[in-house]
């Protein structure tokens, strides 16, 4: 696929970038000054047939980029999520879209469970307590925390990631209930609840693991947070926009919500300053798929989809 012109909007992964540079005609948009990017795109528009993006990067603040590239044929997402892509416009233009599902499922599920345990057992706070010398200063005393084993775990979205989370928490003796648009009869051990509000009211730990769309945007509302309550923990490994973030911050600060483990935020990488001062929340830098093993597998899948497209073969993980 040496003749395939590929536009990379942001630096994503060293291995992926090196392989794109080796196999394709790679253009790096972030190296161009902002005030010259329009000129740069116009100069190269006739040769750009593919765009590679990250899950949350979208089109660098320019959703019209799809129409600015008349020869664009494929958008390859280096992520499982593709909410940043205008799928309707892609279908109208005949632009193919791919993502990287499955290969990151285990890592995201592992992190979700880790965030839940870290929030309940207050692991980051305990670490800071020891490092600050407070354990010694307080004669070896540290307050009690809350166990994870046996807690009721509610999962929003029993897809690949949600199902993997469910299987993991079963090992901790946790009963599982879930909400999504359709009941999954293939998993009778998991209890289906018809509304998110009911799910929250029947959960000790509520995990957001669904894809982001217009139906799921803001799905964790003030009412859902109130239903989860002052002993409940919210874990979000989906997208920041799934949660009413100002209401979440207020509930954590007021004690109306017991705790949270958050890997995603509404305006990444900006995190609400109020969250920084709270010791009942665990913060992570959108690292769900951030392991060496998974990022290489994701990169290989992006490359395989581009190669399949260049050879006019079926795409491995098509979205559109």
């Amino acid at each position: 696929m040496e003749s395939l012109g590929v536009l990379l909007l942001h630096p994503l992964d060293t291995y992926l970038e090196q392989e794109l540079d080796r196999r394709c005609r790679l253009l790096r948009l972030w190296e161009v000054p902002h005030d010259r990017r329009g000129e740069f795109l116009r100069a190269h528009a006739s040769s750009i047939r593919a765009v590679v993006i990250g899950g949350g990067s979208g089109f660098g603040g320019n959703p019209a980029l799809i129409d600015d590239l008349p020869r664009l044929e494929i958008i390859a997402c280096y992520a499982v999520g593709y909410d940043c892509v205008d799928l309707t416009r892609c279908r109208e233009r005949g632009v193919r879209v791919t993502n990287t599902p499955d290969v990151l499922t285990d890592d995201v599920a592992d992190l979700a469970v880790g965030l839940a345990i870290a929030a309940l057992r207050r692991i980051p706070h305990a670490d800071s307590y020891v490092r600050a010398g407070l354990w010694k200063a307080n004669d070896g005393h540290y307050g009690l925390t809350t166990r994870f084993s046996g807690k009721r775990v509610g999962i929003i979205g029993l897809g690949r990631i949600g199902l993997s989370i469910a299987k993991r928490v079963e090992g901790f003796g946790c009963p599982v209930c879930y909400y999504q648009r359709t009941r999954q009869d293939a998993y009778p051990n998991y209890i289906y609840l018809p509304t998110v509000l009911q799910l929250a009211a029947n959960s000790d730990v509520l995990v957001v693991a669904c894809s982001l769309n217009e139906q799921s945007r803001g799905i964790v509302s003030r009412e859902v947070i109130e239903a989860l309550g002052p002993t409940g923990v919210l874990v979000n490994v989906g997208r920041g926009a799934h949660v009413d973030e100002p209401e979440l911050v207020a509930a954590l600060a007021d004690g109306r919500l017991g705790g949270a483990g958050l890997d995603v935020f509404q305006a990444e990488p900006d995190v609400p300053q109020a969250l920084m001062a709270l010791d009942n929340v665990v913060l992570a830098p959108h690292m769900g798929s951030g392991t060496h093993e998974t990022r290489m597998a994701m990169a290989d899948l992006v490359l395989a989809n581009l190669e399949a497209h260049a050879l006019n073969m079926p795409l491995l993980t098509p979205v559109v």
Side-chain angles (χ1 to χ4, degrees):
M1 52 182 183
E2 293 82 1
S3 63
L4 186 67
V6 177
L7 179 67
L8 186 60
L9 301 186
H10 308 281
L12 296 175
D13 175 83
T14 301
Y15 167 72
L16 175 61
E17 186 179 337
Q18 289 173 345
E19 288 300 304
L20 287 171
D21 203 19
R22 185 175 68 85
R23 303 186 194 189
C24 312
R25 296 171 56 210
L26 180 63
L27 299 171
R28 299 170 174 85
L29 185 61
W30 73 90
E31 294 181 347
V32 181
H34 283 275
D35 60 350
R36 295 182 54 196
R37 289 184 181 180
E39 176 187 349
F40 176 84
L41 290 173
R42 287 190 293 273
H44 294 279
S46 62
S47 64
I48 297 172
R49 295 166 52 201
V51 171
V52 175
I53 63 172
S57 61
F59 287 96
N62 180 16
L65 186 59
I66 294 173
D67 292 323
D68 291 341
L69 301 175
R71 295 198 62 202
L72 182 62
E73 301 169 4
I74 184 170
I75 298 170
C77 298
Y78 178 69
V80 66
Y82 44 83
D83 47 279
C84 57
V85 180
D86 186 343
L87 298 184
T88 300
R89 189 65 188 123
C90 286
R91 290 188 182 98
E92 293 171 351
R93 279 277 316 273
V95 174
R96 305 300 306 273
V97 179
T98 64
N99 65 341
T100 58
D102 296 323
V103 295
L104 50 68
T105 297
D106 285 337
D107 281 348
V108 177
D110 288 350
L111 184 65
V113 176
L115 287 171
I117 295 172
L120 285 165
R121 298 304 308 272
R122 303 185 72 197
I123 293 174
H125 180 269
D127 179 88
S128 298
Y129 186 86
V130 174
R131 291 175 188 273
L134 296 176
W135 191 34
K136 182 177 181 180
N138 287 284
D139 297 323
H141 173 75
Y142 184 72
L144 301 180
T145 62
T146 302
R147 72 165 55 174
F148 176 66
S149 295
K151 289 293 184 286
R152 300 171 300 167
V153 176
I155 301 173
I156 303 176
L158 202 68
R160 296 180 182 93
I161 294 171
L163 184 59
S164 292
I165 294 169
K167 291 178 177 177
R168 281 161 171 74
V169 302
E170 280 187 300
F172 291 87
C174 297
V176 174
C177 49
Y178 70 97
Y179 164 80
Q180 59 182 31
R181 283 178 290 179
T182 56
R183 183 194 300 267
Q184 293 283 5
D185 292 329
Y187 306 104
N189 292 340
Y190 306 147
I191 300 171
Y192 173 75
L193 293 173
T195 70
V196 178
L197 201 59
Q198 287 177 272
L199 181 68
N202 287 276
S203 299
D204 300 306
V205 177
L206 182 64
V207 183
V208 183
C210 57
S211 60
L212 181 64
N213 51 47
E214 288 310 308
Q215 290 72 41
S216 65
R217 188 178 298 274
I219 196 169
V220 180
S221 62
R222 177 188 177 95
E223 292 75 20
V224 170
I225 293 169
E226 296 284 355
L228 188 56
T231 61
V233 169
L234 176 70
V235 173
N236 190 2
V237 291
R239 286 285 190 264
H242 281 126
V243 178
D244 185 330
E245 196 166 77
E247 288 292 345
L248 172 63
V249 173
L252 287 166
D254 296 345
R256 290 180 287 115
L257 180 65
L262 308 173
D263 187 43
V264 289
F265 306 89
Q266 283 191 358
E268 296 176 6
D270 293 327
V271 177
Q273 192 62 37
L275 287 176
M276 305 292 191
L278 299 175
D279 62 12
N280 58 344
V281 59
V282 180
L283 307 175
H286 201 153
M287 56 181 286
S289 64
T291 66
H292 295 293
E293 299 87 347
T294 288
R295 289 295 171 87
M296 180 167 284
M298 290 168 61
D300 284 338
L301 190 49
V302 167
L303 295 165
N305 274 310
L306 291 175
E307 185 169 7
H309 176 75
L311 296 175
N312 200 28
M313 295 174 63
L315 300 176
L316 280 74
T317 54
V319 175
V320 173

